[in-house]
């Protein structure tokens, strides 16, 4: 029985992959319009057209997954599953306050042959309880996973296991949710189309876009299942302002292309929020902060630009202005003091990251033991542009009087918890990992050495991470074991960079775009990830060995490791 239960996640994973080859999309009628979240996998487009199903079905990675689950797919015939391979597969969560997690999860699998599907379940789940009711068949795989099907569609329904503590400190047996799940499967099959998500124009627009993976999130449904008592005062506020999230949703898609993964997300807001969104939006993006970042190599950048007056519009809308004013008055501040202190431009940046090594030793049982210590260095800054110096000075003095800051060694510098430095020149304020970095930020202007994609710089929200150059200096001799060094070496040749940008207001929504670029440009990104996953699985089975056996001398991309004592061991 235990072996069969361990097979549940593996088989479900296989069914998701095999069922997702898109041809005809009839199962939307089984997804309720109040679904909290929906994932659609267009595996026909993804695996057949872009990758090739053979790359998945015969891969060592799949065999490793099977071995870990305790199963055997050596005689696994996909035709015997009875599943229709040319359709999109959907997985979704729906509100259900009867369960501990306040939600229930379901997967829709289109069928080609219901009898073969039934035989498949009997073969793979020997202890499964199979029953029939009218035109539906059911299989109970365990107390929290049930399957129901007719001639065209199978529905897998699941809940999170519910465990409670007994008075003697032991765990009570998991609750049996089979009755609940089978009843909900019946209701799903009898759902009327006008109650399904197929009537939602925004969702159907998302599916028409033809993404490899589509993602949908209904914020109104999400808030309805979140326990108000666990959210505290925030929950009370949101409960009283449900109109702000009515019909609010996120529609996104991920696509695996040659040499890159792209993603797009569109957030739709309620019309009543349009005024707040417009007030928060900046009319132009200011790059003054980016031009002051010290260094020659950008490793990571996160920027955000808002209009602070939009925060005031939000506070007024949710009725929090009187409460906020009263609280601030207790510390001799006003809401205007806070909103006028900064322009609304924020930037987090890490530059010039590198890892070197140094030899150190310690004494163990009277003997000296040498080891190699990694020494990472970088320049880290979080900066803001000051709008009104008088308002900023009020906040600064409050932080000093409350002990949040302490005076530093130089004028206009302060220590944050003894580890970070805050410095200001009246126009900018910066928190840095070292005093010299903070000083360099205030002294720098017009730094053009840092390479950042233009989209990330010119958008209200921007993100950039240079993965290739950031990890190029990490020496392999810091990794102890053949499997670690092997995987890290291959990983260094995988990704190039990650970029995200967006935040501009467009009618009733705002868009974000994401892109992860790979170093190898002529091969599909998913196939590259699959092959890397296979190498990880293979490396985990190898015994530890020397780095020299992992990285051939002829490998051009290998980073020479600095000499380390033959007796070196990791620091403890």
């Amino acid at each position: 029985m235990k072996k069969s239960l361990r097979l549940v996640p593996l088989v479900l994973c296989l069914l998701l992959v095999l069922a997702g080859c898109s041809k005809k999309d009839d199962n939307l009628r089984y997804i309720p319009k109040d679904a909290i979240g929906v994932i659609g996998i267009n595996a026909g487009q993804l695996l057949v057209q872009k990758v090739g199903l053979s790359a998945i079905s015969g891969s060592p990675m799949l065999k490793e997954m099977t071995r870990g689950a305790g199963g055997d797919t050596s005689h696994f015939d996909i035709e015997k599953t009875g599943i229709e391979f040319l359709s999109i597969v959907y997985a979704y969560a729906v509100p259900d306050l009867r369960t501990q997690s306040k939600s229930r999860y379901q997967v829709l699998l289109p069928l080609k042959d219901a009898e073969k599907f039934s035989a498949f379940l009997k073969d793979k789940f020997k202890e499964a309880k199979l029953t029939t009711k009218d035109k539906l068949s059911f299989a109970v795989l365990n107390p929290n996973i049930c399957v129901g099907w007719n001639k065209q569609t199978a529905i897998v329904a699941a809940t999170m296991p519910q465990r409670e503590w007994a008075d003697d400190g032991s765990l009570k047996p998991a609750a049996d949710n089979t009755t609940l799940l089978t009843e909900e499967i019946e209701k799903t099959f009898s759902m009327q189309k006008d109650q399904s998500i197929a009537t939602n124009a925004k969702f159907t627009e998302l599916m028409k876009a033809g993404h490899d993976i589509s993602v949908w999130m209904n914020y109104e449904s999400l808030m309805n299942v979140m326990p108000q008592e666990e959210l505290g005062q925030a929950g009370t506020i949101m409960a009283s302002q449900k109109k702000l999230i009515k019909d609010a949703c996120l529609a996104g898609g991920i696509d695996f292309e040659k040499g890159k993964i792209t993603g797009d997300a569109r957030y739709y807001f309620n019309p009543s929020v349009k005024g707040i969104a417009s007030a928060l939006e900046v009319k132009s993006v200011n790059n003054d902060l980016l031009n002051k970042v010290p260094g020659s190599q950008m490793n990571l950048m996160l920027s955000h630009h808002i209009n602070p007056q939009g925060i005031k519009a939000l506070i007024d809308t949710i009725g929090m202005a009187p409460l906020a004013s009263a609280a601030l008055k207790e510390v001799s501040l006003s809401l205007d003091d806070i909103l006028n202190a900064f322009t609304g431009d924020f930037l987090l940046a890490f530059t010039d990251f590198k890892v070197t090594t140094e030899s150190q030793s310690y004494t163990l049982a009277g003997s000296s033991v040498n080891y190699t210590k990694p020494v990472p260095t970088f320049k880290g800054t979080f900066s803001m542009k000051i709008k009104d110096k008088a308002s900023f000075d009020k906040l600064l003095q409050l932080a000093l009087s409350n002990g949040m800051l302490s005076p530093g060694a130089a004028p206009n510098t302060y220590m944050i918890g003894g580890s970070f430095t805050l410095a200001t020149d009246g126009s900018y304020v910066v928190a840095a990992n070292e005093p010299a970095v903070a000083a360099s930020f205030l002294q720098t202007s017009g730094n053009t050495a840092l390479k950042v994609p233009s989209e990330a710089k010119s958008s209200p929200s921007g993100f950039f991470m240079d993965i290739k150059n950031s990890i190029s200096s990490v020496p392999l001799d810091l990794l102890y074991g053949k499997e670690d060094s092997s995987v890290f070496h291959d990983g260094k040749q995988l990704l190039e960079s990650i970029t995200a940008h967006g935040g501009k207001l467009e009618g009733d929504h705002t868009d974000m775009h994401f892109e992860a670029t790979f170093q190898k440009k002529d091969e599909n990104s998913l196939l590259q990830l699959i092959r890397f996953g296979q190498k990880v699985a293979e490396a985990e089975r190898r015994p530890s060995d020397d780095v020299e056996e992992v990285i051939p001398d002829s490998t051009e991309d290998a980073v020479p490791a600095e000499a380390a004592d033959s007796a070196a061991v990791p620091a403890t």
Side-chain angles (χ1 to χ4, degrees):
M1 179 66 177
K2 289 183 178 179
K3 183 176 180 180
S4 295
L5 293 181
R6 290 204 308 270
L7 277 170
V8 169
L10 171 65
V11 173
L12 288 179
C13 180
L14 288 171
L15 296 183
L16 285 174
V17 171
L18 298 175
C21 305
S22 176
K23 178 167 81 175
K24 190 177 180 181
D25 193 7
D26 292 331
N27 282 336
L28 288 181
R29 67 182 186 274
Y30 294 134
I31 305 176
K33 58 185 177 183
D34 66 341
I36 301 170
V38 182
I39 296 178
I41 304 176
N42 193 338
Q45 172 176 288
L46 182 58
L47 299 180
V48 176
Q49 298 178 21
K50 295 186 177 181
V51 175
L53 191 57
S54 60
I56 300 292
S57 59
S59 70
M61 182 177 65
L62 178 58
K63 294 179 181 179
E64 179 67 20
M65 290 169 58
T66 306
R67 182 184 294 109
D72 179 14
T73 60
S74 58
H75 303 292
F76 184 78
D77 185 347
I78 59 177
E79 287 296 328
K80 290 183 179 180
T81 64
I83 298 171
E84 171 58 64
F85 304 139
L86 300 178
S87 296
I88 298 176
V89 64
Y90 293 100
Y92 59 97
V94 292
D96 196 327
L97 300 181
R98 297 167 297 176
T99 66
Q100 191 174 38
S101 62
K102 309 303 180 186
S103 56
R104 188 178 68 257
Y105 311 96
Q106 298 190 173
V107 178
L108 304 178
L109 302 173
L111 298 182
K112 180 189 295 184
D113 190 320
E115 291 185 3
K116 285 185 178 181
F117 182 73
S118 179
F120 168 76
L121 292 179
K122 290 178 182 178
D123 179 52
K124 295 300 177 182
F125 302 95
K126 304 297 186 183
E127 284 78 18
K129 300 175 183 178
L130 274 68
T131 60
T132 59
K133 183 177 180 181
D134 298 327
K135 296 181 179 180
L136 298 178
S137 299
F138 297 92
V140 177
L141 304 188
N142 69 38
N144 292 291
I145 301 179
C146 296
V147 184
W149 65 96
N150 57 20
K151 291 184 178 181
Q152 295 81 32
T153 304
I155 299 177
V156 182
T159 63
M160 297 294 290
Q162 301 177 29
R163 303 295 298 271
E164 296 181 354
W165 294 99
D167 294 337
D168 62 359
S170 62
L171 277 173
K172 295 180 180 180
D176 190 329
N177 289 307
T178 55
T179 300
L180 182 153
L181 294 174
T182 53
E183 289 178 351
E184 290 303 325
I185 290 174
E186 285 187 74
K187 293 179 183 178
T188 302
F189 274 116
S190 61
M191 183 187 301
Q192 299 299 311
K193 185 176 180 179
D194 62 355
Q195 296 300 310
S196 76
I197 202 168
T199 60
N200 188 308
K202 294 182 176 66
F203 182 84
T204 54
E205 180 183 354
L206 167 65
M207 298 312 301
K208 287 178 181 178
H211 294 292
D212 294 336
I213 299 176
S214 300
V215 179
W216 172 268
M217 178 69 72
N218 184 325
Y219 287 96
E220 183 178 5
S221 295
L222 178 63
M223 287 302 302
N224 287 338
V225 301
M226 295 182 71
Q228 183 176 322
E229 61 275 11
E230 295 182 11
L231 296 177
Q233 190 169 359
T236 303
I237 295 172
M238 294 306 298
S240 65
Q241 299 293 330
K242 287 188 176 181
K243 67 177 183 179
L244 297 181
I245 58 171
K246 181 175 175 55
D247 299 325
C249 57
L250 177 73
I254 300 172
D255 296 287
F256 296 87
E257 309 294 349
K258 284 187 177 181
K260 64 181 178 180
I261 301 173
T262 63
D264 292 283
R266 173 167 292 181
Y267 175 73
Y268 293 95
F269 47 80
N270 185 278
S272 64
V273 186
K274 180 68 178 289
I276 299 174
S278 298
L280 284 168
E281 186 182 28
V282 294
K283 304 308 177 185
S284 61
V285 173
N286 190 318
N287 282 314
D288 288 353
L289 295 174
L290 182 59
N291 294 333
K292 294 182 69 61
V293 173
S296 58
Q297 171 65 53
M298 179 65 77
N299 303 113
L300 183 146
M301 181 215 77
L302 176 64
S303 64
H304 192 57
H305 307 269
I306 64 169
N307 183 348
Q309 295 307 310
I311 299 176
K312 186 174 184 179
L314 174 62
I315 293 174
D316 287 339
T317 300
I318 64 177
M320 287 294 295
L323 183 62
S325 296
L328 291 171
K329 188 175 181 181
E330 294 293 325
V331 291
S332 302
L333 287 177
S334 67
L335 188 58
D336 286 338
D337 288 333
I338 296 177
L339 299 180
N340 290 333
F342 305 102
T343 62
D345 301 303
F346 308 91
L347 179 68
L348 174 68
F350 292 91
T351 60
D352 297 349
F353 173 81
K354 63 180 179 179
V355 179
T356 58
T357 61
E358 63 181 32
S359 296
Q360 294 192 357
S361 64
Y362 62 92
T363 301
L364 178 65
S367 299
S368 179
V369 179
N370 298 323
Y371 68 99
T372 301
K373 177 184 177 181
V375 183
T377 59
F378 64 93
K379 298 176 179 134
T381 58
F382 176 72
S383 56
M384 296 178 284
K385 190 174 182 180
I386 298 172
K387 179 181 178 182
D388 181 74
K389 187 176 182 303
S391 296
F392 171 76
D393 287 341
K394 283 187 178 182
L395 299 179
L396 185 63
Q397 291 304 314
L398 178 63
L400 285 167
S401 63
N402 288 341
M404 298 172 62
L405 298 176
S406 58
N412 297 318
T413 63
Y414 310 88
M415 296 303 298
I416 307 173
S419 301
F420 301 95
T421 299
L422 185 140
T424 180
D425 60 1
S427 298
Y428 301 91
V429 58
V430 58
N433 61 321
E434 295 179 5
V437 176
S440 179
F441 177 91
L442 296 177
Q443 296 167 5
T444 300
S445 62
N447 185 0
T448 59
L450 299 174
K451 304 301 181 184
V452 178
S454 59
E455 297 88 349
K457 293 192 295 184
S458 60
S459 299
S461 295
F463 174 83
F464 172 68
M465 184 175 184
D466 187 333
I467 298 176
K468 179 181 178 180
N469 290 314
S470 296
I471 65 176
S472 62
S473 68
V474 179
L476 287 172
D477 64 345
L478 299 184
L479 302 174
Y480 300 92
K482 182 175 182 177
E483 66 281 359
D484 291 335
S485 297
S486 175
V487 169
F488 183 76
H489 174 263
D490 292 328
K492 289 176 73 171
Q493 302 178 53
L494 187 65
L495 286 169
E496 186 172 79
S497 66
I498 298 175
T499 305
H501 56 87
K504 187 176 181 181
L505 188 64
E506 299 283 352
D508 64 348
H509 64 269
T510 182
D511 292 329
M512 288 291 295
H513 178 76
F514 158 89
E515 191 167 297
T517 60
F518 287 63
Q519 296 182 40
K520 191 173 183 179
K521 307 298 183 183
D522 59 351
E523 186 175 60
N524 185 271
S525 53
L526 179 59
L527 185 56
Q528 293 186 53
L529 290 176
I530 290 171
R531 287 179 174 167
F532 180 67
Q534 292 174 187
K535 291 178 180 178
V536 172
E538 293 166 359
E540 288 180 347
R541 298 195 303 272
R542 295 174 185 160
S544 298
D545 214 328
D546 295 331
V547 172
E548 287 75 11
E549 294 188 16
V550 180
I551 312 300
D553 292 338
S554 60
T555 304
E556 296 180 356
D557 292 331
V559 178
E562 295 188 23
D565 192 285
S566 61
V569 296
T572 58

